Amino acid sequence: MGHADTLLAMGGAFVAAAVLARLGSRIGLPTIPLFILAGILLGPNTPGFVLLDDPHDLEMLSALGLVLLLFYLGLEFHMDDLKTGGKKMAIAGCFYLLLNVGAGLAFGFMMGWGTSEAFVFAGVLGISSSAIVTKILVDLGRIGNPETKPILGIIVVEDIFLAMYLAALQPIISGADDLAETAGQIGKAFAFLLVLALAARFGTKVIGKLFATKDNELLVISFLGAAVLVAGISEKFGVADAIGAFMVGLILGSTASGGRIRDLVHPLRDAFAAIFFFGFGLSIDPGDIGSVIVPVLIAVVITLAMNLTAGIVAARIYGFGPQPTANVGTTLLARGEFALILATMAATAGLDPRLSPFIASYVLILAVLAPLVAGRSHWVAKILPGGRRPDQEAERQPEEVSASR
């Protein structure tokens, strides 16, 4: 593709994503499914205008978007968040993972697409979208609600699990020949993660001095260079590039420059993440979705059931009533960026080609359904044990919010 064509494709991708996102904001939809939809509509697999014939032409930009997404997530993550939450937060988060990841793994084996594919299903069905969850909490004005603490606690536990899961998954889906080779690759990956974890634990002061500068331009160049470089090194050690970027974010987020880095990376994250989601949409053939729509709908029902069950357990742990229980279960429903990361990894590893349309359809449905269901959680509360009438619960909710503040 020529230089002019590349610029046209990039500019068109940004404009298309912006237009659909603006339209979606008017009806309260998150941006992620709209970016994917823009890629599907303007890709080579749908009739009409084709912006880009080969999705691989945006591969490097998409990879950068993925790196920045996980880098930002690392910046937002703090081990202190888990410590201050105490035992309740850890129990609620682990039980959520046990239910959802376990259900995803069982569903994967039930599908019979292969062992590697089953482990991908475990992550797809098991991990919530922190981006969409955060957006739902802000949009619905629930940041001060008492149930928001366990919701964020579950997200923190998921982030910890995410690092270990990706490190273990990489050698599994890359097709290691035997158990010894698989164990060796996992060991190498965990050793690399251990080095990064030790840097996060003991090297923050030294690293903070290296990145200390009042010049924003130098700071941007420095943290971008570190995130991309470590992401590349991670790949060499069998760890997904995204998780290497996550660890860099974790380290830099604890330095004195952490706050400024968060502010500076935010627009970069949004811009290149849009290209990542758009590029994923380009690779989806809507004609393939029909072949996976039945398992997708089954997976959506399973996710709904597991989230409500996890919400009930969290409510028991924290002593919540039906409405906060429904809020927990419905807010955590969305699946997004991490599922698409797994789709990219699966496609690169040459796994079953049905995984990409399955994951795209699953993410689209839940990314649209989650904010709609969360906004009407009082309906869900009615069917939970001890459920109240919506008007009674609505009267009680402001008191809970006020008390939490």
Side-chain angles (χ1 to χ4, degrees):
M1 188 167 64
H3 184 63
D5 292 337
T6 303
L7 292 175
L8 286 171
M10 286 177 54
F14 279 124
V15 170
V19 169
L20 277 181
R22 186 179 291 270
L23 292 174
S25 67
R26 295 179 181 274
I27 54 177
L29 291 180
T31 56
I32 290 175
L34 296 170
F35 293 155
I36 300 172
L37 180 61
I40 293 174
L41 294 177
L42 297 177
N45 300 310
T46 52
F49 176 72
V50 176
L51 180 65
L52 201 62
D53 290 316
D54 187 359
H56 292 292
D57 289 332
L58 289 180
E59 190 171 11
M60 185 54 65
L61 289 175
S62 295
L64 183 57
L66 184 56
V67 164
L68 289 173
L69 269 174
L70 269 293
F71 174 71
Y72 184 82
L73 192 61
L75 288 170
E76 291 291 337
F77 179 84
H78 296 285
M79 288 299 295
D80 291 342
D81 293 340
L82 185 59
K83 293 177 183 178
T84 56
K87 190 179 296 185
K88 288 182 179 180
M89 185 184 295
I91 293 174
C94 289
F95 195 85
Y96 182 91
L97 285 172
L98 180 66
L99 278 177
N100 287 273
V101 174
L105 186 62
F107 174 79
F109 282 118
M110 181 188 75
M111 292 298 299
W113 291 2
T115 301
S116 296
E117 286 79 0
F119 280 97
V120 173
F121 276 122
V124 171
L125 271 67
I127 306 295
S128 305
S129 167
S130 58
I132 299 178
V133 168
T134 304
K135 183 173 176 57
I136 289 173
L137 290 172
V138 172
D139 290 351
L140 296 180
R142 293 179 180 170
I143 293 296
N145 282 21
E147 72 273 10
T148 296
K149 184 176 181 180
I151 289 173
L152 296 178
I154 289 172
I155 293 295
V156 168
V157 174
E158 283 185 327
D159 290 341
I160 297 173
F161 171 79
L162 184 151
M164 297 185 293
Y165 171 79
L166 281 180
L169 182 67
Q170 189 78 9
I172 292 174
I173 68 174
S174 64
D177 294 332
D178 53 40
L179 183 60
E181 183 180 352
T182 300
Q185 291 187 27
I186 292 176
K188 184 173 68 172
F190 274 109
F192 179 70
L193 284 175
L194 180 60
V195 170
L196 293 179
L198 290 173
R201 176 65 179 85
F202 300 107
T204 304
K205 289 184 179 179
V206 174
I207 295 172
K209 290 179 181 178
L210 294 175
F211 283 82
T213 175
K214 295 181 179 180
D215 190 320
N216 285 342
E217 180 182 6
L218 290 177
L219 186 58
V220 170
I221 293 171
S222 299
F223 72 69
L224 274 180
V228 174
L229 179 62
V230 174
I233 296 173
S234 297
E235 282 282 328
K236 294 292 185 181
F237 279 87
V239 179
D241 53 3
I243 203 61
F246 172 85
M247 295 301 293
V248 174
L250 179 65
I251 295 169
L252 295 183
S254 300
T255 66
S257 303
R260 286 173 58 211
I261 293 174
R262 275 189 287 273
D263 292 338
L264 291 170
V265 79
H266 201 283
L268 293 172
R269 181 209 66 175
D270 289 346
F272 287 99
I275 294 296
F276 170 72
F277 296 125
F278 181 87
F280 183 79
L282 288 173
S283 66
I284 300 302
D285 186 347
D288 294 336
I289 295 177
S291 64
V292 296
I293 192 62
V294 173
V296 165
L297 294 177
I298 293 173
V300 168
V301 172
I302 290 173
T303 305
L304 278 165
M306 291 302 101
N307 272 261
L308 287 179
T309 304
I312 292 172
V313 172
R316 299 280 180 174
I317 294 172
Y318 283 85
F320 291 147
Q323 183 60 55
T325 301
N327 289 349
V328 173
T330 56
T331 303
L332 289 165
L333 183 61
R335 302 295 187 264
E337 59 276 6
F338 182 61
L340 300 185
I341 292 169
L342 291 178
T344 303
M345 291 174 63
T348 303
L351 299 188
D352 195 303
R354 292 173 291 183
L355 273 174
S356 287
F358 173 92
I359 294 173
S361 305
Y362 176 74
V363 168
L364 277 169
I365 290 174
L366 284 182
V368 172
L369 188 64
L372 298 178
V373 174
R376 294 159 181 79
S377 59
H378 55 278
W379 294 353
V380 178
K382 292 173 63 177
I383 65 173
L384 295 177
R388 300 163 172 246
R389 295 200 319 270
D391 56 338
Q392 289 179 324
E393 203 61 53
E395 292 172 2
R396 183 171 178 263
Q397 192 76 353
E399 297 175 6
E400 293 178 336
V401 175
S402 178
S404 70
R405 291 175 179 171

